[in-house]
Amino acid sequence: MTRPNSTRALLNAGAALAALIATPAFAQDTPAAAAPAEQAAAAENGDVLVTARRRSETLLTVPIAVTAFSADKLAKSGAIDLTDIQTTTPNITLKDARGTNSTLAAFIRGVGQQDPVPGFESGVGIYLDDVYLNRPQAAVLDIYDVERIEILRGPQGTLYGRNTIGGAVKYVTRRLPDHLEINLRGTYGSYNQADGVVSVSTPIGSMFKIGLSGARLTRDGFGRNLNLGIDNYNKNIWAARGTIEFETPDSRMSIRISGDYTHDKSNPRNGHRLIPGLLSGTPVLANVYDTQAGLNNPIQDIWAGGLSMTAEAQLSDHVTFKSISAFRKDRSYAPIDFDSLPAADVDVPAVYRNEQTSQEFQFAYKSDKLNGIVGFYYLGAKAQTGFGVLLSTTFPNFNAYTAGDVRTETESFYGDFTYDFTPEFSLSLGGRYTWDKRDSYILKASYLGLTPEFGGTPTPFGAASTDFRGGALFKRFTPRASVAFKPNDQHMIYLSYSEGFKGGGFDPRGSGTSAPKLPTETAPTYQEIYNYLLFRPELVKSYEIGWKGAAFDRALTWAIDGFHSDYSDVQVPGSVGCLIGGIQSFCGITTNAAKARIYGVEAEVNARLAQGFAGAGSAITLAGTLGYMDAKYKTFIGPTGTDVAAYRVFQNTPKWSVSGTLGAVFPVGPGSVNASTVVSYRSLTHQFEVATPFLDQPGYTLLDAHITYSFDGGKYSIGVHGKNLTDVRYKIGGYQYLSAKLDTGAINYTPTGGVTPTLGKEGIATAFYGNPRQVFVTVSAKF
């Protein structure tokens, strides 16, 4: 296939076009509508502008299930990073991926991915200013200088491409103001939380603006590593962002260049053992945030950064051109101690290196009846990893090592248009064709000692069990269609159909020697190994009906939807203890084992219960969210080749996710007080496809409370925030390598009630927990 070469030629031509639109030759006489004016009008009506369909629309008029958080709402709720929006968003899971503060595990409507190893693709797209983040490392974005965050639920394959089959999360940074502005924010709270954010921006002449932001985010650990004498679950992050904006006086041409950098030097986040050590007899610790992990090589160190340029030109009164160019890079060193004990018994020193370049061109069309967009997208990415598995065997310093290098080239053409037949009826049709090319290198070998990236000089221990290079090209058309009916300007009912797919690839932990072979063969052939390691893309087809409306002069607004999703070729990644050459090792098993169907209902309601009761601007509000999902596997081919769907469950997908927020605003002195209490509930959550009494989290309820005093037109504020006030302990992830029945997944208990390890000797049932009670004060000032 020659598409990548043609793509590079097209990108070069596009770069030249993006440069040409910077000239004044394209200036027109009629100025474009100003986005700030649209935002102000939406805010006055109690609505929020979103760009879910790549054009500005209000939250209550876009025929997609969207939740939006404005900067003001995020500040008043004390949101610190992306995972904080989970509690008040239906049918979504956003969490730290086990051992870090920075790697994201995201699920929407039952679809996602929690394994961060290159070769596995995400099911939820994360976007930073319309730039897709290809890997989950460093994707737990800290919240500062943000304009809004949008959560799009359901497949977004037409407008956002591959790996958005569950949905998408859009993090939109703040546009620079037209005047000199300095913003300061400081926070201090429990566990010595000490955060500081400084933002400065200024215009330069009449057409340029420049802005710089810096953040220092620190916190002591929720617990201690009693073996190494360091904090566990601490935070130590430096972050910065810089922006340059250019805009012509007639607002028809703009260029925005932004760069960001984050350096996370937090200690490794190690888990809590749920069972005593089977070999050492080490008891279970009383504090779930404490650990006795012994691995501290490599020193945990994570950095990520990127540059992007968005150029936009209004070519005519109807057509706007946009170019989005970006480059991103990150590197993560992580010591992952599976057994959380001092001995080297399933200790995993790991490094992840990711790099991506992307280019997108869009032509948007706008008229009285027809509105839409056509575009082209390209992504070139490489993801590399190396990790050892240090095992307690009869051979000292035994290391089951895996290295991977995954190269991705993706390109797609897409279009999506809406035609308003009448003011009441509209039809939207869209489609995207994607070429997704994957080239993988997988090495699995055994050594005595650490490999060079971790400071070792290892001795090879036998031949490599996998030394594989292979490539695959996946192609897919993903359509979208919706019909909307607006009986008046207060109500909209819509029906939609959409598709999305998640890229395929090769199992990055697979063992080539495990590939099936003919009885006459002494070893599997290349083709047999290729077929064994390959897994296909997975596909979601979703049907949705929704109703968005307002009543009582917008004192009551709601968005309600129901959906049905057919989920096919479900990728089921896993890792197990295995024998390679008679030696215990660590192997991946990934198959397209399952088909599933998912039903669900979502509701978001906002009500103004009282107004003007304590002076101008006073109000009492009640907001509620509800998510319900019934997710079941229709077929699931287990390790014995039989259908075990009756014994398999959806991971990170609670049946119920509910929240309620009671708020009040009233004037006090020269300012106003904004107070709220949030109660959220999540039902039983499974960590993996097999139910387990060790890692599954029963339903739990969290209580948060916030109070903020703002004055001088909002220039100054002080807020007190309390999260998880009842100090609930709840699991968000974990590891388990214990003997279990292959069909049901039930633990094989010994006659005395004990368990048997399948990897290592101490037995692994290790959990990670959500944050305990935190209370903190935030002070902000704007000059």
Side-chain angles (χ1 to χ4, degrees):
M1 176 179 172
T2 60
R3 297 201 61 86
N5 290 331
S6 63
T7 296
R8 293 188 184 96
L10 180 59
L11 292 179
N12 290 334
L17 176 59
L20 284 174
I21 66 172
T23 71
F26 287 96
Q28 305 290 329
D29 295 331
T30 305
E38 293 179 301
Q39 294 168 357
E44 187 174 345
N45 289 325
D47 212 340
V48 179
L49 276 183
V50 295
T51 54
R53 295 198 294 178
R54 299 295 183 107
R55 57 183 185 264
S56 292
E57 300 174 280
T58 63
L59 191 61
L60 290 178
T61 60
V62 60
I64 295 176
V66 185
T67 300
F69 294 85
S70 66
D72 183 66
K73 184 175 181 179
L74 291 166
K76 287 183 169 59
S77 66
I80 297 171
D81 63 41
L82 205 55
T83 64
D84 284 332
I85 64 177
Q86 168 185 280
T87 56
T88 55
T89 306
N91 290 339
I92 184 173
T93 295
L94 296 173
K95 64 178 185 177
D96 298 313
R98 298 191 282 246
T100 75
N101 290 319
S102 303
T103 300
L104 181 69
F107 288 77
I108 297 179
R109 290 185 176 178
V111 181
Q113 175 61 261
Q114 70 172 336
D115 197 323
V117 176
F120 297 130
E121 303 292 316
S122 173
V124 174
I126 308 298
Y127 291 81
L128 175 60
D129 286 333
D130 280 334
V131 175
Y132 172 66
L133 306 186
N134 188 54
R135 300 301 307 156
Q137 284 81 25
V140 179
L141 302 174
D142 295 296
I143 294 175
Y144 70 100
D145 264 9
V146 65
E147 180 178 298
R148 69 183 183 277
I149 296 175
E150 301 175 21
I151 301 94
L152 287 57
R153 298 188 296 277
Q156 306 297 323
T158 299
L159 286 173
Y160 293 91
R162 59 193 269 283
N163 301 345
T164 59
I165 59 173
V169 178
K170 299 183 64 176
Y171 183 110
V172 182
T173 60
R174 185 176 64 97
R175 298 290 167 163
L176 301 181
D178 294 325
H179 54 273
L180 172 64
E181 186 173 285
I182 300 173
N183 288 279
L184 306 175
R185 190 184 81 200
T187 299
Y188 185 79
S190 306
Y191 302 96
N192 268 336
Q193 177 186 349
D195 300 340
V197 179
V198 178
S199 301
V200 180
S201 62
T202 184
I204 300 176
S206 61
M207 293 190 293
F208 287 90
K209 305 171 192 173
I210 185 170
L212 294 172
S213 299
R216 180 73 171 116
L217 312 172
T218 64
R219 187 194 64 231
D220 291 346
F222 300 141
R224 294 283 291 173
N225 185 318
L226 304 178
N227 177 48
L228 298 176
I230 59 176
D231 280 351
N232 200 30
Y233 289 82
N234 75 321
K235 193 170 185 178
N236 182 8
I237 293 176
W238 293 89
R241 183 177 293 133
T243 303
I244 298 174
E245 294 180 358
F246 165 83
E247 187 174 44
T248 58
D250 60 5
S251 299
R252 302 186 73 91
M253 165 66 204
S254 66
I255 297 176
R256 188 175 196 247
I257 300 173
S258 62
D260 65 276
Y261 178 79
T262 300
H263 193 180
D264 184 353
K265 301 181 70 175
S266 309
N267 296 336
R269 180 179 289 200
N270 282 301
H272 171 76
R273 285 188 63 85
L274 302 172
I275 59 175
L278 301 183
L279 180 66
S280 63
T282 304
V284 174
L285 298 175
N287 184 350
V288 299
Y289 301 105
D290 284 346
T291 186
Q292 296 185 78
L295 183 64
N296 202 25
N297 180 16
I299 299 299
Q300 180 145 303
D301 190 80
I302 300 163
W303 61 259
L307 288 169
S308 67
M309 181 181 74
T310 300
E312 188 169 355
Q314 189 173 351
L315 304 182
S316 72
D317 292 343
H318 300 290
V319 179
T320 300
F321 170 78
K322 179 185 284 189
S323 168
I324 306 169
S325 311
F327 172 80
R328 298 197 64 82
K329 189 173 184 177
D330 65 78
R331 188 220 61 205
S332 301
Y333 277 109
I336 308 170
D337 196 321
F338 278 58
D339 64 299
S340 290
L341 287 173
D345 186 52
V346 197
D347 288 3
V348 180
V351 59
Y352 305 91
R353 297 182 177 92
N354 304 304
E355 186 175 305
Q356 68 176 80
T357 302
S358 61
Q359 175 64 56
E360 186 165 6
F361 300 122
Q362 302 173 356
F363 287 91
Y365 180 82
K366 181 178 182 180
S367 68
D368 291 339
K369 287 185 172 292
L370 182 65
N371 296 277
I373 189 172
V374 294
F376 168 81
Y377 176 77
Y378 170 81
L379 171 74
K382 60 181 179 181
Q384 300 170 313
T385 186
F387 62 88
V389 181
L390 308 181
L391 294 166
S392 177
T393 70
T394 54
F395 302 96
N397 302 316
F398 183 80
N399 179 5
Y401 178 73
T402 300
D405 188 322
V406 180
R407 305 296 171 102
T408 296
E409 278 199 285
T410 291
E411 54 187 279
S412 58
F413 293 91
Y414 63 90
D416 187 90
F417 282 85
T418 299
Y419 185 77
D420 298 325
F421 290 96
T422 68
E424 294 80 22
F425 286 98
S426 63
L427 172 67
S428 297
L429 295 174
R432 188 183 195 110
Y433 197 89
T434 301
W435 294 264
D436 190 24
K437 189 174 187 295
R438 201 87 67 249
D439 290 297
S440 294
Y441 171 63
I442 304 167
L443 172 69
K444 285 184 68 69
S446 298
Y447 298 99
L448 298 180
L450 291 173
T451 49
E453 66 258 66
F454 307 116
T457 52
T459 300
F461 189 88
S465 61
T466 305
D467 190 355
F468 171 83
R469 294 183 186 273
L473 174 64
F474 309 103
K475 296 180 285 186
R476 186 76 194 183
F477 176 71
T478 48
R480 178 185 176 276
S482 69
V483 177
F485 171 59
K486 301 176 184 177
N488 54 51
D489 60 0
Q490 301 294 308
H491 297 274
M492 179 189 65
I493 298 171
Y494 67 90
L495 294 168
S496 70
Y497 171 80
S498 58
E499 292 185 11
F501 83 99
K502 183 168 81 170
F506 300 89
D507 191 330
R509 288 187 294 249
S511 175
T513 57
S514 300
K517 62 182 186 296
L518 296 174
T520 57
E521 297 172 340
T522 58
T525 65
Y526 172 82
Q527 191 61 49
E528 289 168 335
I529 293 174
Y530 181 100
N531 294 338
Y532 178 69
L533 297 178
L534 178 71
F535 55 88
R536 300 183 303 277
E538 57 183 35
L539 176 68
V540 169
K541 299 179 179 180
S542 181
Y543 308 82
E544 184 173 320
I545 181 170
W547 176 24
K548 297 185 179 185
F552 310 114
D553 195 24
R554 303 183 73 88
L556 177 66
T557 62
W558 63 87
I560 302 170
D561 67 80
F563 64 91
H564 166 81
S565 298
D566 292 320
Y567 193 9
S568 58
D569 278 331
V570 181
Q571 299 165 5
V572 183
S575 56
V576 297
C578 60
L579 294 178
I580 298 178
I583 302 297
Q584 188 182 51
S585 189
F586 182 79
C587 293
I589 300 178
T590 299
T591 59
N592 295 96
K595 293 182 179 180
R597 61 98 181 129
I598 307 169
Y599 295 104
V601 175
E602 295 158 343
E604 297 177 274
V605 179
N606 293 276
R608 187 172 64 245
L609 305 180
Q611 186 175 14
F613 64 93
S618 60
I620 295 177
T621 60
L622 179 65
T625 65
L626 179 145
Y628 170 79
M629 277 188 292
D630 181 12
K632 293 188 182 300
Y633 286 108
K634 297 164 66 176
T635 60
F636 195 116
I637 306 305
T640 60
T642 60
D643 187 353
V644 294
Y647 306 107
R648 294 301 184 263
V649 294
F650 269 67
Q651 60 168 281
N652 292 288
T653 303
K655 179 169 285 190
W656 293 97
S657 54
V658 183
S659 75
T661 303
L662 180 64
V665 181
F666 50 89
V668 173
S672 64
V673 171
N674 186 304
S676 63
T677 300
V678 184
V679 178
S680 60
Y681 170 78
R682 291 170 69 86
S683 60
L684 171 66
T685 304
H686 302 286
Q687 303 300 337
F688 296 103
E689 282 80 13
V690 176
T692 164
F694 293 109
L695 297 182
D696 289 348
Q697 172 58 49
Y700 64 95
T701 301
L702 299 179
L703 173 65
D704 300 344
H706 314 276
I707 184 168
T708 302
Y709 181 66
S710 304
F711 57 98
D712 197 4
K715 290 184 177 180
Y716 307 99
S717 69
I718 180 169
V720 180
H721 306 278
K723 295 190 173 186
N724 189 7
L725 290 175
T726 54
D727 209 21
V728 176
R729 300 292 185 263
Y730 58 99
K731 300 167 190 168
I732 62 171
Y735 305 112
Q736 179 179 301
Y737 292 93
L738 300 174
S739 176
K741 293 179 173 58
L742 293 178
D743 52 358
T744 67
I747 299 294
N748 290 319
Y749 291 101
T750 65
T752 59
V755 293
T756 303
T758 57
L759 187 62
K761 295 183 178 180
E762 292 283 9
I764 295 174
T766 306
F768 298 85
Y769 288 79
N771 294 6
R773 179 193 296 120
Q774 292 175 271
V775 178
F776 52 93
V777 177
T778 296
V779 178
S780 63
K782 182 188 296 184
F783 305 97

